[in-house]
Amino acid sequence: MSKARTSPVRSAAAHAILITYTVVALFPVLVIIINSFKERRAIFRSPLSLPNAESFSLIGYDTVLAQGDFLLYFQNSLIVTVMSITGVLLFGAMAAFALAEYRFRGNPLMALYLALGIMIPIRLGTVAILQMMVAGGLVNTLTALILVYTAQGLPLAIFILSEFMKQVSDDLKNAGRMDGLSEYRIFFRLVLPLVRPAMATVAVFTMIPIWNDLWFPLILAPAESTKTITLGAQVFIGQFVTNWNAVLAALSLAILPVLILYLIFSRQLIRGITSGAVK
Amino acid sequence: MGSLRLENIRKSFGKVEVLKGIDLEVKDGEFVIFVGPSGCGKSTLLRVIAGLEDATSGNVLIDGEAVDHVPPAKRGIAMVFQSYALYPHLNVRDNMGLGLKQAGRPKAEIGERVAVASKMLGLDKYLDRRPAELSGGQRQRVAIGRAIVRSPKLFLFDEPLSNLDAALRVNTRLEIAKLHRELSATMIYVTHDQVEAMTLADRIAILNEGRIEQVGTPMELYNRPANLFVAGFIGSPKMNFIPAATLRDGGASTVGIRPEHITVDAQEGRWKGTVLHAEHLGADTILYLDTEQAGFLTVRLFGEHRFGTDDVLYATPQPERIYRFDDDGKAIA
Ligand SMILES: Nc1ncnc2c1ncn2[C@@H]1O[C@H](COP(=O)(O)OP(=O)(O)OP(=O)(O)O)[C@@H](O)[C@H]1O
Ligand SMILES: [Mg+2]
């Protein structure tokens, strides 16, 4: 192996850069979590200090949890995110398989059309989407959000997955056909398990924007019963007074589910991201 | 049970025509090998026979019945792939049994057939392993086992040995020959290794650029090549081709003589030349000569010889072993 790769100076430099980036990325999150455990005055007096015996307070969490609807918001967010990811992965993988596996007229055009969405932000179509949802009677339903997020996630999913699926051995698929497996069995049993790392990558990249989104919940589903957690946390931000304890506590809690989902996917994710490089 | 007939098979990918009208008849129980240079369409033809690819035109008949609209699994064909193509999530037993299971056969029968096949191939000990836990040779045997278990009318092999090392290749080659004798099944086998082709085949079909150049038994192809391509393809080292004009041979365009059909002598002979390079292989000695009358020649001598670089020699072709080809490369009888 080349010496350059293992030279201590280089690896120290690489680690320094990575650690710096990690600190920069985690700092805001950490500040939010720290301050969510402090009382209001302490938050403003010294936002960077850790909570001590005097400043420690759970008032934020009390407020949030006492606000009865908070669990519902949580549940809404989870439903929307999980359903959307499921939709994106299922339909994205199916479309990707069709594009990667079958020769039909217009295949390249179709691929281009489906990939176009990567470059065009879905928010540009908000007005039309709202009109559609009104016409379909879907305003203030979670279904509206799930549909929009599935559409939003599909282009990138199809793009990434079809590249991976092209690499699955033709012989393997053909062996399945010789043994009489249906195209669905070939897709679900042979191809999908082999592109699992790519699926995890897509899942994580789709999940985070959906969980964090404020725009579509505000426009399509602002009703009390369909609020998502990001939108729900806004109730503590008032025009005149903002309940910072509650806002910070709500945000801290909101991190948890994404973190858990991420941990579930992360092992596969790392393999997916590095699979191109290490081979 | 297991004859195959190909009628004018053509296959195009977009504008590129890969198979340009293939006609072939394979009798029941025959072992036919397709050889040809890389990219000549061997695998494509095999996939068309298997039904994994639709021919652009032409018919495939198995046992006299057109199967053009029959799906691969229903054609009574089993195929062994170059890359093994074992199912990574199933153990050896299930890999071999999946085809039968899909066909809805009873469990007992599947178990019995898998047992027979695994015994034949010496896979008994590995039945519960996943493909990832097997060596290359074992994987290839599982792939062959998967084909045997289905007791097909027709076996298709696509370069099954090309991923194995030399020693293993010889062993597996013998195993396939034995298999053919025991099962007396019809087999079609693709390779670009001519030793494999010559040793296994009842008949060889030589493909070039999507056409069959010649079909025949190994010795027919060796002794009576139909054209320049076949003459150059069969035999190693390659046949020497000499422009007829340099030999003042009227009526032919090219003259061919195999390296093993040339004798050399230090004193006298037809063509005088110097040795450019000598390869001593023990059983054979290969000489590369630069001759005054016939240009560059490869000569294969049997046994050990003491010739070395820059020696002056006289080479003489065996007259009854000289091949002559016309302007189109066709052999002149
Ligand atoms: N799916 C495809 N789309 C377009 N062209 C193809 C496709 N499959 C094969 N070809 C072309 O058809 C030709 C024949 O391919 P094929 O795989 O049959 O060759 P082969 O004789 O098996 O070669 P090798 O000995 O290297 O395996 C090649 O030129 C190849 O580029
Ligand atoms: Mg091939």
Side-chain angles (χ1 to χ4, degrees):
Chain A
M1 282 270 98
S2 69
K3 270 195 186 147
R5 270 204 199 168
T6 50
S7 126
V9 178
R10 264 171 169 256
S11 98
H15 278 91
I17 291 171
L18 290 175
I19 289 169
T20 315
Y21 178 75
T22 311
V23 169
V24 169
L26 286 184
F27 184 71
V29 179
L30 213 65
V31 170
I32 288 178
I33 294 175
I34 290 173
N35 284 301
S36 72
F37 288 104
K38 293 199 287 202
E39 55 163 27
R40 190 180 164 84
R41 261 178 306 141
I43 294 175
F44 287 102
R45 206 183 313 124
S46 57
L48 293 184
S49 60
L50 291 172
N52 53 27
E54 190 196 335
S55 64
F56 181 81
S57 147
L58 285 176
I59 176 84
Y61 290 92
D62 282 343
T63 323
V64 169
L65 295 176
Q67 186 104 11
D69 293 337
F70 202 76
L71 275 179
L72 178 69
Y73 301 160
F74 231 93
Q75 188 187 327
N76 287 340
S77 268
L78 264 182
I79 291 175
V80 167
T81 308
V82 169
M83 295 296 282
S84 305
I85 294 182
T86 312
V88 168
L89 288 183
L90 182 68
F91 299 123
M94 287 177 139
F97 184 69
L99 291 177
E101 181 62 14
Y102 304 119
R103 284 190 297 271
F104 53 88
R105 195 172 302 163
N107 180 323
L109 264 181
M110 182 69 103
L112 185 69
Y113 168 70
L114 289 174
L116 222 56
I118 299 173
M119 290 160 268
I120 303 173
I122 194 168
R123 288 178 192 194
L124 287 183
T126 302
V127 174
I129 290 175
L130 183 57
Q131 280 170 342
M132 256 158 49
M133 294 301 171
V134 170
L138 289 174
V139 173
N140 281 330
T141 61
L142 295 182
T143 316
L145 291 179
I146 293 171
L147 287 176
V148 170
Y149 290 141
T150 306
Q152 171 186 312
L154 277 176
L156 190 66
I158 294 172
F159 185 72
I160 294 179
L161 291 177
S162 66
E163 283 309 309
F164 273 79
M165 286 191 186
K166 279 179 195 153
Q167 290 168 17
V168 174
S169 137
D170 279 338
D171 282 356
L172 185 64
K173 290 175 276 194
N174 283 338
R177 292 189 182 114
M178 297 295 299
D179 275 342
L181 299 186
S182 66
E183 293 296 309
Y184 284 99
R185 283 280 301 267
I186 290 174
F187 171 70
F188 283 112
R189 302 301 300 277
L190 296 182
V191 177
L192 275 196
L194 291 176
V195 297
R196 216 163 37 201
M199 302 273 284
T201 312
V202 169
V204 170
F205 283 135
T206 327
M207 163 179 84
I208 292 168
I210 296 177
W211 185 267
N212 287 339
D213 191 38
L214 187 56
W215 181 263
F216 284 112
L218 190 61
I219 291 167
L220 297 178
E224 194 55 28
S225 65
T226 54
K227 264 186 194 158
T228 60
I229 184 116
T230 339
L231 185 57
Q234 306 297 315
V235 296
F236 302 114
I237 302 180
Q239 193 173 356
F240 307 107
V241 230
T242 293
N243 186 343
W244 285 110
N245 297 80
V247 171
L248 293 177
L251 290 178
S252 301
L253 285 176
I255 294 171
L256 279 178
V258 222
L259 203 64
I260 291 167
L261 282 179
Y262 175 80
L263 287 179
I264 294 173
F265 291 128
S266 66
R267 229 172 53 111
Q268 301 285 344
L269 172 77
I270 290 163
R271 244 196 278 164
I273 289 177
T274 52
S275 72
V278 201
K279 233 182 188 174
Chain B
M1 283 295 285
S3 68
L4 170 76
R5 197 184 151 100
L6 303 178
E7 289 175 349
N8 196 21
I9 300 282
R10 287 171 185 277
K11 174 72 193 174
S12 307
F13 291 110
K15 285 197 197 78
V16 189
E17 193 169 36
V18 174
L19 298 177
K20 301 165 185 165
I22 303 270
D23 289 292
L24 183 72
E25 186 115 25
V26 178
K27 288 192 285 292
D28 184 28
E30 216 178 358
F31 200 136
V32 171
I33 290 194
F34 295 161
V35 280
S38 194
C40 68
K42 306 179 296 284
S43 301
T44 308
L45 183 55
L46 219 54
R47 285 205 302 272
V48 168
I49 297 173
L52 295 168
E53 198 90 67
D54 288 327
T56 311
S57 70
N59 300 308
V60 179
L61 290 88
I62 296 178
D63 282 335
E65 276 179 55
V67 291
D68 301 287
H69 300 291
V70 180
K74 301 250 161 75
R75 290 189 180 194
I77 288 179
M79 187 158 174
V80 177
F81 297 89
Q82 178 176 358
S83 59
Y84 320 133
L86 301 178
Y87 309 118
H89 62 294
L90 297 179
N91 64 22
V92 170
R93 179 179 288 113
D94 294 340
N95 256 290
M96 298 212 271
L98 186 67
L100 292 179
K101 198 171 144 213
Q102 284 301 114
R105 296 297 176 79
K107 261 208 170 109
E109 184 195 335
I110 299 176
E112 201 173 302
R113 288 219 229 163
V114 168
V116 171
S118 67
K119 187 142 177 270
M120 208 185 268
L121 296 165
L123 288 169
D124 291 332
K125 277 184 288 178
Y126 310 112
L127 281 178
D128 292 311
R129 295 212 197 157
R130 296 275 177 95
E133 301 158 350
L134 298 175
S135 74
Q138 291 162 346
R139 282 181 212 178
Q140 191 54 281
R141 289 216 294 283
V142 176
I144 294 173
R146 183 168 64 180
I148 296 175
V149 163
R150 301 180 52 203
S151 36
K153 295 185 212 167
L154 180 61
F155 281 89
L156 305 177
F157 295 88
D158 192 354
E159 306 198 25
L161 308 186
S162 59
N163 283 344
L164 304 180
D165 68 44
L168 208 51
R169 202 175 301 171
V170 174
N171 279 339
T172 318
R173 197 169 81 208
L174 294 175
E175 244 167 75
I176 290 177
K178 187 166 130 234
L179 207 67
H180 179 236
R181 258 177 286 136
E182 282 173 7
L183 301 174
S184 59
T186 317
M187 295 189 172
I188 294 181
Y189 187 108
V190 165
T191 178
H192 45 225
D193 178 5
Q194 41 158 308
V195 179
E196 254 168 57
M198 301 294 273
T199 52
L200 285 173
D202 292 326
R203 284 193 303 154
I204 298 177
I206 301 209
L207 272 82
N208 185 28
E209 292 181 0
R211 285 201 182 81
I212 293 189
E213 297 277 350
Q214 190 176 0
V215 188
T217 65
M219 284 309 113
E220 271 168 21
L221 297 184
Y222 180 82
N223 290 320
R224 287 196 300 281
N227 53 40
L228 274 176
F229 182 82
V230 175
F233 198 81
I234 295 288
S236 168
K238 209 168 158 282
M239 184 186 279
N240 295 296
F241 292 121
I242 307 155
T246 56
L247 296 177
R248 302 211 186 75
D249 181 340
S253 160
T254 309
V255 169
I257 178 79
R258 294 197 187 277
E260 53 269 38
H261 298 147
I262 300 177
T263 53
V264 296
D265 191 282
Q267 265 75 48
E268 51 173 19
R270 205 158 137 200
W271 298 325
K272 184 185 180 202
T274 48
V275 177
L276 294 175
H277 182 65
E279 292 171 352
H280 301 281
L281 303 172
D284 296 325
T285 305
I286 315 274
L287 300 178
Y288 297 91
L289 299 182
D290 184 6
T291 62
E292 286 169 10
Q293 294 86 352
F296 294 108
L297 283 182
T298 313
V299 179
R300 177 177 177 197
L301 305 173
F302 296 95
E304 295 174 42
H305 294 268
R306 300 197 148 269
F307 302 120
T309 310
D310 292 334
D311 287 358
V312 175
L313 293 175
Y314 294 89
T316 313
Q318 298 174 15
E320 73 283 5
R321 294 290 204 165
I322 291 177
Y323 300 92
R324 298 163 76 235
F325 302 93
D326 66 16
D327 290 338
D328 298 330
K330 291 234 166 53
I332 301 172

Short mmCIF file of all heavy atoms in Angstrom, two decimals, chain B residues 35 106 197 214:
data_model
loop_
_atom_site.label_atom_id
_atom_site.label_comp_id
_atom_site.label_asym_id
_atom_site.label_seq_id
_atom_site.Cartn_x
_atom_site.Cartn_y
_atom_site.Cartn_z
N VAL B 35 -18.07 -22.11 -30.20
CA VAL B 35 -16.86 -21.34 -29.92
C VAL B 35 -16.81 -20.16 -30.87
O VAL B 35 -17.44 -20.17 -31.92
CB VAL B 35 -15.54 -22.13 -30.08
CG1 VAL B 35 -15.26 -22.98 -28.90
CG2 VAL B 35 -15.55 -22.93 -31.36
N PRO B 106 -43.69 -32.04 -5.08
CA PRO B 106 -43.76 -32.38 -3.65
C PRO B 106 -42.38 -32.35 -3.00
O PRO B 106 -41.36 -32.62 -3.64
CB PRO B 106 -44.33 -33.80 -3.64
CG PRO B 106 -44.20 -34.30 -5.03
CD PRO B 106 -44.17 -33.12 -5.93
N ALA B 197 -13.35 -27.13 -26.10
CA ALA B 197 -14.22 -27.45 -27.22
C ALA B 197 -13.82 -28.78 -27.86
O ALA B 197 -14.66 -29.66 -28.07
CB ALA B 197 -14.16 -26.33 -28.26
N GLN B 214 -18.87 -22.76 -39.49
CA GLN B 214 -18.83 -24.18 -39.83
C GLN B 214 -19.29 -24.99 -38.63
O GLN B 214 -19.07 -24.61 -37.48
CB GLN B 214 -17.40 -24.59 -40.20
CG GLN B 214 -17.32 -25.99 -40.79
CD GLN B 214 -15.91 -26.34 -41.24
OE1 GLN B 214 -14.98 -25.55 -41.13
NE2 GLN B 214 -15.76 -27.56 -41.75
#
